[in-house]
Amino acid sequence: MSFPPVFTAILTKMLPLYGVMALGFVYGRAHRQAAEPISFLQIYFVVPIVIVASLANMAFQPSYLLLPIITMIGCCVVAMITYATGKRVWDGNITNIMAYACGNGNTGYFGLPVALIVFPPEAVGLFMMANVGFVL
């Protein structure tokens, strides 16, 4: 059975990411440590360095400033549609949680490593600009 070249290219680039995830899972099971020191390092040191480095590699154009605004508007529209639909389906606060979850993506902790693997360094800066819209 032959796979398309795009599939094999992405798979070979993502296998190390899944390997690191598996190693982290095994290490977490074997060593019961608190996750706070690791998450502190990641949030305050690793992620800002990656963001600044990816934005520095980007050939900036003023039109790129529209990207966070467009993604923010898209997320708000999806969240409002989900909220309006959810009011008819669920009772209570589950509607609020569903609207937030549908308007927000896991682009920081999973999307960023995938973008670093799949896209060239110049395009990762664009991904980070769009990620600002998800955060807003």
Side-chain angles (χ1 to χ4, degrees):
M1 181 174 174
S2 175
F3 293 109
V6 173
F7 177 77
T8 55
I10 292 174
L11 183 66
T12 56
K13 288 184 175 185
M14 288 189 64
L15 277 177
L17 176 64
Y18 285 121
V20 168
M21 290 168 54
L23 286 173
F25 177 77
V26 170
Y27 181 81
R29 291 289 181 184
H31 301 78
R32 294 288 181 185
Q33 295 184 29
E36 288 82 19
I38 296 171
S39 63
F40 177 82
L41 286 173
Q42 182 178 5
I43 291 171
Y44 293 108
F45 293 106
V46 176
V47 171
I49 290 170
V50 170
I51 291 171
V52 169
S54 64
L55 291 175
N57 287 336
M58 181 178 73
F60 183 76
Q61 297 176 6
S63 62
Y64 292 164
L65 292 175
L66 289 175
L67 196 57
I69 296 169
I70 292 169
T71 55
M72 182 190 71
I73 291 170
C75 289
C76 289
V77 167
V78 169
M80 286 188 280
I81 290 170
T82 305
Y83 184 77
T85 306
K87 280 290 189 188
R88 295 184 183 107
V89 177
W90 296 293
D91 295 330
N93 290 332
I94 191 78
T95 305
N96 300 336
I97 295 170
M98 291 301 291
Y100 174 75
C102 290
N104 189 6
N106 190 7
T107 58
Y109 292 110
F110 184 73
L112 180 59
V114 172
L116 286 169
I117 290 171
V118 174
F119 299 130
E122 302 84 28
V124 176
L126 290 174
F127 175 82
M128 292 311 302
M129 293 286 289
N131 198 23
V132 171
F134 282 109
V135 172
L136 292 176

